Amino acid sequence: MAYCLVLPEHGLMGHWYTWVNDSGIGGRAFVLHSDGPEPVYFDHRDGLEVGVQDFDKWNLGGASLAVGEALQGADVRFEADDLAVHFTFEGIHPAFDYGSNAIGTPSYLADNRYEQTGRIAGSLVWRGKTYEFDGPGHRDQSWGTRDWDAIHHYKWIAASGDDCSANLMWTMAEGEVDINGYVYLDGVQASIVDASVSTEYGPEFVQDVVRAELVDSGGRHTTLNLDRRHTLARWDVTPTFNFSDTMFTGTLGGHQVRAYVEYTWPRAYLDHLLSRAARSDAHVS
């Protein structure tokens, strides 16, 4: 389960994350992204005994969650010696599960998964400063395990506005492209049936501009234009698989949005791209 704090007004993006396996062993993390390339804050604990609790009321290693109305509201905290965050989440539209897509949920991602934009309001205390926030954010939850090494590449985009939202999971795996997600615009939510994405990459092969054309099951064609990147955090989620996490602002169908954009690469492939770029720069100079 993840809650995403998308805070361009502070130049920060936060990621509250917790998990548990079928043996009742869980973990939690809180990550802050800024200019990059490394996260500016990363607190991770694993191998924790969960006991009899579930996600309705969750407390694990300083990360806590209390669910209100089902699939609508939540109260979330993270407390450590050097950082504390508390916020509430209130969904602006129904949670969308990937099982609602025409192809269902790809088995390498999870058994099922939901995504939801909501209003996130609260405060973050870090390095002697308090950051207040109240605006669009995002959350998701997966059931089942993810097979990272089955994935060649994915683009996960969670664009959140005051009254609109889109989630796109464009995945290349097993030699095929799978498209999952939804568009919520003008009070109507519909699954994405087709999407094209164009990316402008900057130094270190980081996504600097992202544009997408989304076609949903209602026949709407919606343009997502993310043209200002605010943060970067690049890190290996496993020894063989890398995340390039970025925060953008832009528009969805003409409405202002902020977005969490995650591109992924097998570590060896990313290293090849970075090495090729370095050789090209050396040749030019």
Side-chain angles (χ1 to χ4, degrees), residues 129-193:
K129 184 176 180 180
T130 299
Y131 301 86
E132 304 283 349
F133 49 87
D134 185 351
H138 194 82
R139 71 174 180 178
D140 62 62
Q141 182 171 355
S142 292
W143 293 265
T145 57
R146 181 155 305 155
D147 184 358
W148 294 110
D149 288 326
I151 301 169
H152 307 312
H153 170 63
Y154 77 59
K155 299 173 173 70
W156 179 78
I157 303 173
S160 305
D162 291 328
D163 57 0
C164 64
S165 173
N167 171 251
L168 173 65
M169 174 74 88
W170 185 103
T171 316
M172 181 179 291
E174 300 172 358
E176 303 292 339
V177 171
D178 295 321
I179 294 173
N180 294 274
Y182 67 87
V183 173
Y184 175 73
L185 199 60
D186 300 325
V188 177
Q189 184 170 333
S191 60
I192 294 173
V193 296

Side-chain angles (χ1 to χ4, degrees), residues 3 31 35 41 51 75 83 89 95 102 213 225 240 285:
Y3 284 79
V31 186
D35 295 336
Y41 183 87
D75 188 278
L83 182 145
F89 176 94
E213 297 294 330
N225 182 34
T240 55
S285 60

